[in-house]
């Protein structure tokens, strides 16, 4: 074979399909083209590699347009027995070399990644054999001395050690939680019990997280089988729940669940137990492949784009000696870990389960998994403590700031966990105005029933910060109701209110109580937390709306300017741009200049002249006070001069109005649990700190209120450091068609 081909990157999806694989393929293609590298799709996984011919084909920029929102994988996936044999891999190597491919992005599960690694190890030997057989020439073999691999994990189970999330897991969780929400309403109507079986042969991630997000009663996972006599424990729990006013009872079971002796527990067995012992009408729902279906969630689109982009950077920088890496997410950032180490540890979890070494299996899953398991058990089992502590405490829950989906979830978790600790839990209705008016009541376990899944804020929220002359009123109510600790769930103004109370504690002794703020704002503009509750839900709402807008516009040559919320924080604009494949985003952090708008118009004109049919611009509501959405629409329309038409869409309050996403529910629950711990510990210690909680680098962190001003930009009401701005270049790479082909960088 003549050696005239430039080397190229190959991309394939293999094994089980997962939502988000298309976003990863798109990112690989565009990042590669952007750098001037060629890229080939290998269709139908390893089967396409073995078959060769038409199944390995170059991809252009436009070939991966309009695939971000599609479930499954547009380049196909398959199981390929032939690739398990050396002969099959020999053919695969020959086929890759026909296209100059010696760098591969493999998107698949542990099986696919194991296969990739074996292929890499054998590569020099395979090439030597191909030379010997006369199927390739010596210079070709010399030109491609090594196969370089980057592995992206596509698996809805989230079962891979070394990445916090796998491609598809968040979308699967969306499907499951949608189903549980639907089942909850029918179960509640008939006072029925349901057993919901979800995927996860060796991994309880989907079961555990959906059990938390769905507000269910009991969960069975493979890594931590229930104790002996669990049937009784489960029935007692459900019976207590009913007695406390619960109308629906749901047990979630992972398909690979076993008891402590390793004996499989089937969903039907659980149903039988519930029916026999509780005499309840019990139904089983096995969700099956529904979990793989549907559109990828906003998170899956963003994450897959980021890891796909990173894979190309790595492969272009790789040398024959580079150790293959698995690229995933670690603490909200792209993270890398040696591929085979991750695969081996993943297998180790399954082995530990088989050996009934459940402690080690849980440890391998990581600290936050264990923490969430404990939190679930505490909330599901939480009932007003039978033995109140010597000095019962009174903890109040209040909201502040704009509405954020997930506020109810956080309030419910806090109330139930607080009651479980023996505290009296108080709910303040109507934010600080309500507090001053004395709208503060005890909340029982049953009062918060069903709040997990509810959007809105049952306690009510306003953006009001108590004025100086109102502080006396606030103090009076706190005293009259003997409030010992305060949990403020909300956004910027909630934090401001907390800061004000904290600053006035010398003047008003009633404020000398532990106070903690929990971040809840769709704007994601709060200090001390990389993510606030509500932001993921809003992002999903925006992305869904953008999908529809795109569809509506496909028939005409059209530009859409879509305005999203966020106040002075561009998080929603940037992330929704990344997730929807927008051409341009306008952020308040960057502003908008006339010069840029002019350049954008030129780009648009060039694009539409070149055959483009759609151009999506996302504008944060405060990106520029003068260049409004309407102004931009008119400007683009005028300058477009009939070449394309321009529409605007201001998404408005729908962004705040949805039921919380699974991620927001899980985060709300996790943070609320830590807040109750914090308040309890402060009270036990006799201390009264003011704090705000958050998620930073994957960990729950608690920061001191008194230092809050050091980390915020007060004028713009956002943190000084905004981690997500680092994603800006990826968005640019995905949006801008590749420059004219540069010399081969490989
Ligand atoms: P997943 O990647 O989702 O775990 P599989 O385990 O079915 O799915 O693997 C997908 C494909 O990857 C297989 O059909 C096979 O072609 C290839 N593969 C898996 N394991 C190996 C292996 N040990 N050696 C070679 N190829 C493998």
């Amino acid at each position: 074979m003549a050696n005239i081909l430039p080397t190229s990157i190959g991309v394939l999806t293999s094994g089980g399909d997962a939502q988000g694989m298309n976003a990863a393929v798109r990112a690989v293609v565009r990042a590669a083209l952007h750098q001037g590298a060629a890229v080939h799709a290998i269709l139908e996984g390893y089967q396409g590699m073995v078959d060769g011919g038409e199944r390995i084909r170059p991809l252009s920029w436009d070939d991966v347009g309009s695939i971000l929102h599609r479930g499954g994988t547009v380049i196909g996936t398959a199981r390929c027995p032939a690739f398990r044999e050396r002969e099959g891999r020999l053919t695969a190597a020959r086929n890759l070399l026909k296209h100059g491919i010696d760098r591969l992005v493999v998107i698949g599960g542990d099986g696919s990644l194991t296969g990739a690694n074996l292929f890499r190890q054998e590569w020099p030997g395979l090439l030597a054999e191909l030379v010997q057989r006369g199927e390739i020439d010596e210079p070709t073999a010399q030109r491609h001395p090594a196969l370089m691999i980057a592995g992206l994990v596509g698996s809805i189970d989230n079962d891979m050690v070394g990445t916090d999330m796998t491609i598809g897991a968040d979308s699967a969780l969306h499907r499951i939680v949608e189903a549980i929400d639907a089942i909850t309403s029918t179960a509640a109507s008939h006072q029925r019990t349901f057993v919901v079986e979800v995927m996860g042969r060796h991994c309880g991630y989907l079961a555990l997280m959906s059990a938390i997000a769905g507000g269910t009663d009991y969960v069975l996972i493979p890594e931590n089988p229930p104790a002996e006599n669990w049937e009784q424990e489960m029935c007692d729990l459900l019976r207590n729940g009913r007695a406390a006013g619960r109308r629906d009872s749901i047990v979630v079971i992972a398909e690979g669940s076993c008891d402590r002796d390793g004996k499989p527990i089937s969903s039907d067995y659980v149903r039988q137990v519930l029916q026999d012992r509780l005499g309840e009408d019990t139904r089983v729902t096995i969700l099956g492949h529904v979990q793989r279906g549907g559109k990828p969630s906003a998170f899956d689109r963003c994450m897959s784009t980021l890891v796909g982009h990173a894979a190309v950077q790595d492969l272009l920088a790789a040398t024959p000696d580079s150790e293959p890496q698995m690229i995933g997410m670690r603490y909200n950032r792209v993270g890398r870990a040696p591929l085979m180490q991750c695969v081996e540890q993943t297998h180790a979890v399954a082995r530990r389960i088989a050996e009934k070494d459940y402690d080690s299996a849980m440890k391998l899953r990581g600290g936050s998994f264990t923490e969430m398991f404990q939190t679930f058990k505490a909330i599901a089992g939480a009932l007003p403590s039978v033995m109140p502590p010597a000095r019962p405490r009174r903890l109040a829950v209040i909201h502040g700031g704009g509405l954020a989906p997930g506020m109810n979830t956080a309030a419910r978790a806090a109330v139930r966990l607080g009651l479980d600790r023996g505290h009296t839990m108080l709910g303040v209705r109507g934010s600080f105005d309500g507090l001053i008016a004395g709208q503060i009541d005890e909340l029982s376990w049953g009062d918060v029933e069903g709040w997990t899944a509810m959007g809105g804020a049952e306690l009510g929220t306003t953006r009001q910060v108590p004025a100086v002359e109102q502080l006396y009123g606030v103090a009076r109510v706190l005293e009259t109701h003997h409030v010992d600790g305060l949990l403020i769930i909300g956004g910027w103004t909630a934090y401001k209110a907390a800061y004000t109370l904290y600053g006035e504690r010398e003047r008003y002794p009633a404020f000398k109580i532990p106070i903690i703020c929990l971040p809840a704002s769709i704007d994601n503009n709060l200090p001390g937390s990389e993510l606030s509750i509500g932001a993921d839900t809003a992002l999903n709402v925006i992305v869904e709306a953008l999908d529809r807008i795109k569809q509506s516009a496909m028939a005409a040559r059209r530009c859409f300017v879509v305005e999203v919320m966020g106040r002075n924080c561009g998080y929603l604009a940037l992330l929704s741009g990344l997730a929807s494949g927008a051409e341009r985003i306008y952020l308040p952090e960057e502003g908008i200049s006339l010069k840029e708008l002019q350049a954008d118009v030129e780009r648009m004109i060039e694009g539409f002249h070149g055959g483009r049919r759609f151009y999506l611009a996302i504008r944060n509501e405060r990106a520029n006070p003068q260049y409004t959405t309407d102004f931009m629409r008119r400007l683009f329309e005028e300058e477009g001069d009939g070449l394309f038409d321009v529409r605007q869409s201001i998404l408005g309050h729908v962004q705040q109005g949805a039921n919380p996403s699974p991620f927001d529910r899980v985060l709300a629950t996790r943070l609320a649990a830590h807040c109750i711990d914090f308040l309890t510990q402060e009270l036990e210690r006799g201390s009264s700190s003011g704090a705000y909680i958050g998620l930073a680098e994957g960990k729950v962190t608690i920061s001191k209120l008194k230092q809050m001003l050091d980390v915020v930009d007060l004028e713009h009401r956002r943190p000084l450091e905004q981690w997500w701005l680092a994603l800006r270049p990826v968005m640019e790479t995905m949006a801008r068609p590749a420059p004219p082909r540069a010399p081969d960088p490989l």
Side-chain angles (χ1 to χ4, degrees):
M1 186 161 58
N3 183 20
I4 46 164
L5 292 165
T7 43
S8 172
I9 293 177
V11 57
L12 71 151
T13 51
S14 168
D17 66 318
Q19 307 97 322
M21 281 180 159
N22 287 329
V25 171
R26 171 180 176 271
V28 169
V29 171
R30 295 201 167 172
L33 294 175
H34 205 264
Q35 301 239 22
V39 59
H40 282 79
I42 299 160
L43 308 185
E44 317 302 336
Y46 291 119
Q47 192 61 52
M49 210 186 274
V50 175
D51 294 347
E54 278 297 294
R55 291 194 152 180
I56 303 179
R57 61 168 76 140
L59 286 178
S60 71
W61 186 269
D62 290 331
D63 287 338
V64 290
S66 299
I67 63 167
L68 253 182
H69 63 286
R70 289 168 64 179
T73 160
V74 294
I75 59 170
T77 181
R79 316 259 176 205
C80 173
F83 193 75
R84 290 181 182 270
E85 310 299 326
R86 193 172 187 280
E87 194 57 32
R89 296 192 288 275
L90 192 71
T91 315
R94 193 196 55 208
N95 287 333
L96 292 186
L97 289 176
K98 278 188 189 155
H99 300 275
I101 300 169
D102 64 5
R103 287 155 214 252
L104 282 182
V105 181
V106 180
I107 309 168
D110 59 348
S112 307
L113 299 179
T114 306
N117 191 56
L118 183 63
F119 192 32
R120 180 191 74 92
Q121 285 167 340
E122 288 178 351
W123 181 265
L126 295 173
L127 265 55
E129 193 171 331
L130 289 172
V131 172
Q132 204 181 19
R133 290 189 187 185
E135 296 191 31
I136 61 169
D137 57 21
E138 186 63 43
T140 301
Q142 277 169 10
R143 183 142 189 239
H144 305 285
L147 178 70
M148 285 154 272
I149 288 169
L152 307 184
V153 194
S155 158
I156 66 162
D157 292 351
N158 204 23
D159 52 357
M160 183 68 78
V161 176
T163 178
D164 293 342
M165 286 300 272
T166 55
I167 294 172
D170 187 61
S171 305
L173 206 49
H174 273 256
R175 292 302 95 74
I176 298 170
V177 172
E178 280 156 19
I180 291 180
D181 284 354
I183 287 169
T184 303
S185 56
T186 166
S189 309
H190 295 274
Q191 297 223 28
R192 242 179 217 148
T193 303
F194 272 87
V195 181
V196 179
E197 183 182 307
V198 304
M199 283 187 173
R201 258 171 299 162
H202 307 293
C203 183
Y205 177 86
L206 291 177
L208 176 58
M209 297 307 157
S210 61
I212 292 171
T216 63
D217 305 69
Y218 199 79
V219 68
L220 289 157
I221 59 170
E223 298 90 335
N224 199 350
E228 217 178 299
N229 209 14
W230 61 272
E231 292 94 335
Q232 198 53 44
E233 181 205 35
M234 175 179 73
C235 292
D236 289 346
L237 256 165
L238 265 61
R239 198 179 289 117
N240 289 340
R242 284 267 191 249
R246 177 158 202 151
R247 291 189 58 86
D248 60 282
S249 298
I250 297 180
V251 173
V252 179
I253 173 171
E255 60 178 340
S257 297
C258 289
D259 65 16
R260 293 228 151 229
D261 297 325
K263 197 168 127 241
I265 301 175
S266 71
S267 40
D268 200 54
Y269 176 71
V270 179
R271 181 194 64 76
Q272 199 63 52
V273 169
L274 294 171
Q275 194 138 325
D276 293 349
R277 300 198 190 181
L278 295 176
E280 294 216 359
D281 181 12
T282 308
R283 307 288 166 99
V284 174
T285 300
I286 298 174
L287 292 180
H289 281 78
V290 165
Q291 296 162 83
R292 283 192 194 287
K295 290 183 171 187
S297 66
F299 177 84
D300 269 325
R301 300 186 199 190
C302 291
M303 176 185 81
S304 306
T305 301
L306 297 178
V307 293
H309 178 266
V312 169
Q313 311 307 314
D314 281 18
L315 283 183
L316 293 183
T319 64
D321 308 326
S322 309
E323 189 173 359
Q325 300 288 308
M326 186 191 82
I327 301 166
M329 294 306 276
R330 223 47 195 139
Y331 306 145
N332 227 6
R333 310 280 193 283
V334 169
R336 296 165 173 83
L339 182 73
M340 281 327 284
Q341 205 173 307
C342 298
V343 171
E344 269 152 27
Q345 285 193 351
T346 301
H347 292 161
V349 182
R351 268 201 311 277
R352 297 287 180 276
I353 295 173
E355 290 158 4
K356 303 185 194 111
D357 180 359
Y358 303 117
D359 287 346
S360 305
M362 282 298 272
K363 272 202 194 98
L364 282 167
R365 283 275 175 253
S368 59
F369 188 79
T370 308
E371 179 198 319
M372 289 314 293
F373 189 70
Q374 299 307 343
T375 305
F376 173 76
K377 280 185 35 173
I379 295 188
L383 279 176
S385 232
V386 217
M387 295 268 293
R391 227 186 121 205
R393 304 295 195 156
R394 292 166 66 81
L395 305 183
V397 181
I398 185 170
H399 295 314
L403 191 65
M407 281 179 153
N408 283 328
T409 321
R412 168 189 177 267
V415 167
R416 290 206 171 163
L417 290 168
L419 290 172
D420 192 46
R421 295 287 181 89
H423 302 310
T424 297
M425 297 305 293
L426 304 164
V428 179
R429 301 205 180 255
S431 206
F432 284 94
D433 275 337
L435 182 72
I436 295 164
Q439 291 172 14
I440 176 165
D441 303 304
E442 279 191 27
L443 288 176
S444 71
W445 194 89
D447 286 338
V448 291
E449 175 69 22
W451 285 20
T452 315
M454 282 160 65
E458 288 297 291
L459 292 174
T461 184
T462 67
R463 290 192 198 270
Q464 188 233 358
V465 180
V468 183
E469 62 277 12
Q470 291 177 309
L471 292 177
Y472 175 74
V474 174
R476 275 292 309 263
V477 176
L478 293 180
E479 265 161 16
T480 323
H481 289 267
H482 305 288
V483 175
D484 297 311
L486 195 56
L487 166 59
I488 310 183
I489 301 168
W492 188 268
T493 49
Y495 278 56
K496 204 167 160 197
Y499 189 81
T500 308
L501 300 194
Y502 187 81
E504 294 287 344
R505 50 185 19 214
E506 289 313 318
R507 205 166 333 166
Y508 300 101
F511 300 159
K512 276 197 185 159
I513 55 173
I515 297 176
I516 188 155
C517 297
L518 190 157
S521 163
I522 68 161
D523 301 340
N524 201 28
N525 64 339
L526 297 165
S529 195
E530 292 176 358
L531 293 164
S532 55
I533 293 161
D536 183 62
T537 308
L539 192 56
N540 276 291
V541 171
I542 296 170
V543 169
E544 259 180 67
L546 293 173
D547 283 351
R548 286 182 199 182
I549 284 173
K550 271 188 146 177
Q551 254 170 17
S552 80
M554 280 306 172
R557 273 197 303 236
R558 182 164 289 171
C559 162
F560 246 101
V561 185
V562 180
E563 180 181 307
V564 300
M565 284 182 164
R567 300 200 153 218
N568 289 312
C569 175
Y571 177 82
L572 290 176
L574 174 50
L575 273 284
S576 63
L578 206 53
S580 64
E583 274 68 35
R584 182 75 164 97
I585 51 169
Y586 299 95
L587 306 179
E589 286 81 0
E590 298 169 347
I592 307 176
S593 72
L594 191 57
K595 217 164 131 194
E596 283 165 342
L597 289 178
Q598 197 167 2
D600 293 339
V601 169
E602 279 158 19
R603 240 173 88 189
M604 254 179 250
I605 293 174
E606 195 186 307
F608 282 108
H609 270 309
R612 167 176 287 286
R613 305 201 59 81
F614 183 70
Y615 183 101
L616 176 62
I618 299 175
R619 180 183 174 282
N620 160 284
E621 59 186 350
R622 297 199 181 169
N624 184 301
Q626 306 306 330
Y627 302 147
T628 62
T629 302
D630 186 54
F631 169 83
M632 284 167 56
R633 178 192 65 77
R634 285 184 285 127
L635 176 82
F636 294 161
E637 181 95 49
E638 179 68 18
E639 296 295 316
D641 198 21
L643 176 63
F644 51 90
D645 62 23
V646 187
R647 295 281 189 277
Q648 68 173 16
S649 174
I650 296 175
L651 295 184
H653 284 85
V654 292
Q655 296 162 83
Q656 288 181 321
N659 288 343
S661 68
F663 178 86
D664 277 334
R665 299 187 200 184
V666 171
L667 182 63
T669 306
R670 188 174 178 199
L671 294 182
H674 280 269
C675 286
I676 293 299
D677 281 350
F678 171 84
L679 293 175
T680 307
Q681 280 160 15
E682 285 290 297
L683 289 166
E684 275 167 6
R685 259 192 240 132
S687 124
S688 56
S689 322
Y692 52 97
I693 199 165
L695 196 65
E697 296 189 359
K699 291 195 187 64
V700 173
T701 52
I702 294 181
S703 316
K704 292 197 165 93
L705 256 186
K706 66 176 170 205
Q707 281 153 12
M708 188 174 90
L709 295 194
D710 299 343
V711 294
V712 294
D713 171 350
L714 265 185
E715 187 194 340
H716 296 105
R717 297 181 161 208
R718 61 188 181 218
L720 287 171
E721 298 270 329
Q722 301 193 100
W723 63 274
W724 49 268
L725 279 171
L727 310 180
R728 184 70 162 108
V730 182
M731 158 81 214
E732 282 298 305
T733 305
M734 294 302 123
R736 198 180 315 135
R741 189 68 210 279
D744 181 9
L746 298 175

